[in-house]
Amino acid sequence: MRKFKVGILGATGMVGQKFMNLLENHPWFEIKILAASYRSANKTLEEVLSYKTNILNISVFEKLKKFEILDLIRDKKKIASEVDFVFCAININKLETKELEESYAKLECPVISNNSANRLEFDIPMVIPEINPEHLEIIEIQKKRLNTKKGFIAVKSNCSIQCYVPAIHSLLDLNIKNILVCTYQAISGAGKTFENWSEMRDNLIPYISGEEEKSEIEPLKIWGKIKDNKIILNNKINITSQCFRIPITDGHAAAVFVSFEKKVDNLEEIISKWNNYNAHIRNLKLPSAPKKFLRYFSEPDRPQIKYERDLENGMGISIGRLRKDTQFDIKFVSMSHNTVRGAAGGAILLAELLCYKNYI
């Protein structure tokens, strides 16, 4: 397979740095362009990271440190003409994000987005590759709307839902009715470190703006169907959520409660579904795909974020503490690495799938 030329929009932020980290030695993708806001433009990456916090504490890569940062708005045409696609990890308001991503798509440059702005658009696929790759079919409808031949937008889901939706997805055939989920989210999910967010030390904040709304609606799109040229939300499942910011660096966890239309008594059947889940993309040999997507831990005090967040190079989902519940039918915990599986790594896997299926 030829190397695809890649651009990163928002390259100097936390997720942008994670993209650089994960793409440094990628077998399919080669970084050709780094772009950010006008504040970083016309400087080298080395210069930008010398005065801007190097959030992930990663070294300035030898291959990239002399790259000149382009202006992601002013230099759009140049960027679009020199890459096969871009990863978008910008940090601006939703309306501006929607307009920017669509403008790149209309320049015939596919956009794989880490942002929330376009996630609920009816013809933009929001894909977890192991779960709903069939939603990529909506891209052809989207291209007709945009009047493009190659340009389109595809997005990854919210970082927190990726720590529990995969575990729930493998149980859908048991006819899930109600879900209650409480998420416990690392400070890196806010683009922060303890160095620049000292108030999070020894603290818990019971509010993350917009997070509960995303937690309650995004899974319904993941579990939706394409009908009448739209992705229709799944209306058979009810979800309620509460989201907390907690004082850890990386890793999102969830306490999950599930009820079924008919009570499920065999917990071993559920564990077997997790451990033997056959991901749709399992045989495609995508470079970033985990060998084992879901893993159940039988120990009473596992999984733990510190030890399980790097499962499968950060792309695995860890599950544990499955029990019967007095109000719901079952309860369990699950977790994943929020800046890998939940952000840059999940977007890279989505891009690999798009390339494999010749959308790019």
Side-chain angles (χ1 to χ4, degrees), residues 167 184 253-258 267-268 270-271 274 295-304 308 318-325 329-335:
Y184 305 89
V256 185
F257 302 77
V258 179
L267 298 186
E268 290 301 320
I270 292 175
I271 293 172
W274 286 332
R295 179 178 172 186
Y296 183 79
F297 290 78
S298 59
E299 300 89 338
D301 61 347
R302 302 293 282 271
Q304 297 178 17
E308 269 68 68
S318 53
I319 311 166
R321 300 205 68 215
L322 174 65
R323 292 152 291 153
K324 292 183 179 180
D325 185 63
D329 291 327
I330 62 167
K331 55 188 172 184
F332 61 89
V333 298
S334 58
M335 58 188 63

Side-chain angles (χ1 to χ4, degrees), residues 234-291:
N234 184 317
N235 62 3
K236 296 180 180 180
I237 299 174
N238 303 304
I239 306 176
T240 187
S241 69
Q242 179 79 49
C243 301
F244 301 85
R245 187 72 70 192
I246 60 173
I248 59 171
T249 54
D250 294 308
H252 287 353
V256 185
F257 302 77
V258 179
S259 62
F260 304 94
E261 290 184 8
K262 294 182 180 180
K263 185 168 288 189
V264 176
D265 293 318
N266 187 350
L267 298 186
E268 290 301 320
E269 177 187 359
I270 292 175
I271 293 172
S272 177
K273 285 180 177 292
W274 286 332
N275 283 331
N276 297 301
Y277 178 70
N278 186 15
H280 293 69
I281 63 168
R282 187 174 184 178
N283 298 320
L284 304 186
K285 298 183 179 179
L286 305 180
S288 300
K291 293 180 180 178

Side-chain angles (χ1 to χ4, degrees), residues 56-68:
L56 298 181
N57 294 316
I58 56 177
S59 62
V60 177
F61 308 117
E62 287 299 317
K63 296 178 183 178
L64 301 177
K65 68 180 183 180
K66 299 302 181 184
F67 270 45
E68 180 180 337

Side-chain angles (χ1 to χ4, degrees), residues 19-70:
F19 272 120
M20 290 188 285
N21 179 212
L22 296 177
L23 290 171
E24 185 181 19
N25 297 302
H26 195 281
W28 292 9
F29 302 151
E30 182 180 3
I31 299 173
K32 283 294 185 181
I33 286 179
L34 302 177
S37 71
Y38 69 91
R39 291 183 294 273
S40 299
N42 303 316
K43 302 179 180 69
T44 65
L45 179 65
E46 186 175 35
E47 290 171 334
V48 171
L49 294 187
S50 68
Y51 71 82
K52 183 174 182 175
T53 305
N54 190 347
I55 299 171
L56 298 181
N57 294 316
I58 56 177
S59 62
V60 177
F61 308 117
E62 287 299 317
K63 296 178 183 178
L64 301 177
K65 68 180 183 180
K66 299 302 181 184
F67 270 45
E68 180 180 337
I69 305 296
L70 299 186

